DNA sequence: CCCAATAGTTTCTTTTTGGGTACTACCCCA
DNA sequence: TGGGGTAGTACCCAAAAAGAAACTATTGGG
């Protein structure tokens, strides 16, 4: 199971790769999840870790991750407000994949700097 | 190395996850690579395996994958034309990651069908 | 002579994604 | 009284991604 699709198995069989990429693709989601792998973070901490993200984008992406059951959002009724984001069990199950994406991407970046420099 | 970034390591250190997702993100690239993991395919074969893809999108995505050194494009000077796409060594190094994305996505799809049905 | 098949390109349009700016509410603190 | 920190919303706009449709070249086959 979950193997490369064979010649005659390509019918209406949902592609797991497509499903995953719909959930963690886009400019911010993968990176958000990766930071939350490390530890629970509040909104402003996450924001500081994502150079260039706007409040709107961060909120939006977090809401979608929450909707997709990858991230927990916990609001503390304090002043100033505190909202903490953490991975759900399902989100945590992505950790090995994120780890691989991270190390592959770093290796790529190191080996292929020349193309962009 | 390639671990979850620690509190005081978050400076200008490129995020591998972001690099990877830039390369394999989008609606088609991951799936294209996944099919090419299995075997070399010509344009029309790939097209049939990607329900809904237009010629334009497929060409465009393949050109980008080629530019990023993940895919080889070999043109045979025949009539009718034949162009074969295969993974480069670098592309092949993504196989474990794609495998994980695939099985994670399939599991997600099976467990969370209820939300969309 | 016309059609089919392959691997595209071109142009136009729509949809999705991302981003800028301003605004809110709450309370503490000086 | 007013500024700062937190976690947002609302509204509008630009850019990028995706898609639809029509067009090209080539040559073998009927």
């Amino acid at each position: 199971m979950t193997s490369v699709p064979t010649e005659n198995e390509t019918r209406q069989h949902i592609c797991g790769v497509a499903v995953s990429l719909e959930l963690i693709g886009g400019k911010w989601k993968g990176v958000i999840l990766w930071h939350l792998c490390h530890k629970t973070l509040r909104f402003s901490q996450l924001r500081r870790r994502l150079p260039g993200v706007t409040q709107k984008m961060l909120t939006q992406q977090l809401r979608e991750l929450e909707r997709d059951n990858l991230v927990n959002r916990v609001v503390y009724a304090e002043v100033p407000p505190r909202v903490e984001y953490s991975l759900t069990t399902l989100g945590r199950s992505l950790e090995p994949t994120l780890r691989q994406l991270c190390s592959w991407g770093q290796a790529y970046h190191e080996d292929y700097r020349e193309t962009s420099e």
Side-chain angles (χ1 to χ4, degrees), chain A residues 29-97:
Chain A
K29 285 183 184 173
V31 190
I32 291 172
L33 291 168
W34 183 233
H35 280 285
L36 294 180
C37 266
H38 177 237
K39 62 182 293 212
T40 293
L41 292 170
R42 43 195 300 196
F43 188 84
S44 56
Q45 295 179 306
L46 213 33
R47 189 143 118 85
R48 280 189 284 273
R49 279 167 176 73
L50 301 175
V53 79
T54 60
Q55 283 193 310
K56 191 194 93 171
M57 284 310 296
L58 184 52
T59 307
Q60 197 177 97
Q61 302 303 301
L62 285 167
R63 292 295 139 85
E64 290 179 17
L65 290 169
E66 194 192 357
R67 180 202 63 196
D68 296 335
N69 209 0
L70 296 172
V71 158
N72 286 130
R73 176 171 180 268
V74 179
V75 182
Y76 294 89
E78 300 175 0
V79 162
R82 182 159 62 102
V83 179
E84 289 191 344
Y85 293 93
S86 59
L87 295 186
T88 60
T89 305
L90 183 62
R92 202 151 285 289
S93 73
L94 263 174
E95 191 173 335
T97 306

Side-chain angles (χ1 to χ4, degrees), chain A residues 19-26 29-30 33 65 70 94 97-98 101:
Chain A
V19 174
S20 298
L21 289 175
E22 259 175 56
L23 292 166
I24 70 167
K29 285 183 184 173
L33 291 168
L65 290 169
L70 296 172
L94 263 174
T97 306
L98 292 168
L101 283 170

Side-chain angles (χ1 to χ4, degrees), chain A residues 1-25:
Chain A
M1 72 185 75
T2 74
S3 58
V4 178
T6 60
E7 197 77 63
N8 45 19
E9 184 196 353
T10 321
R11 355 186 162 284
Q12 261 6 331
H13 139 286
I14 272 81
C15 178
V17 175
V19 174
S20 298
L21 289 175
E22 259 175 56
L23 292 166
I24 70 167

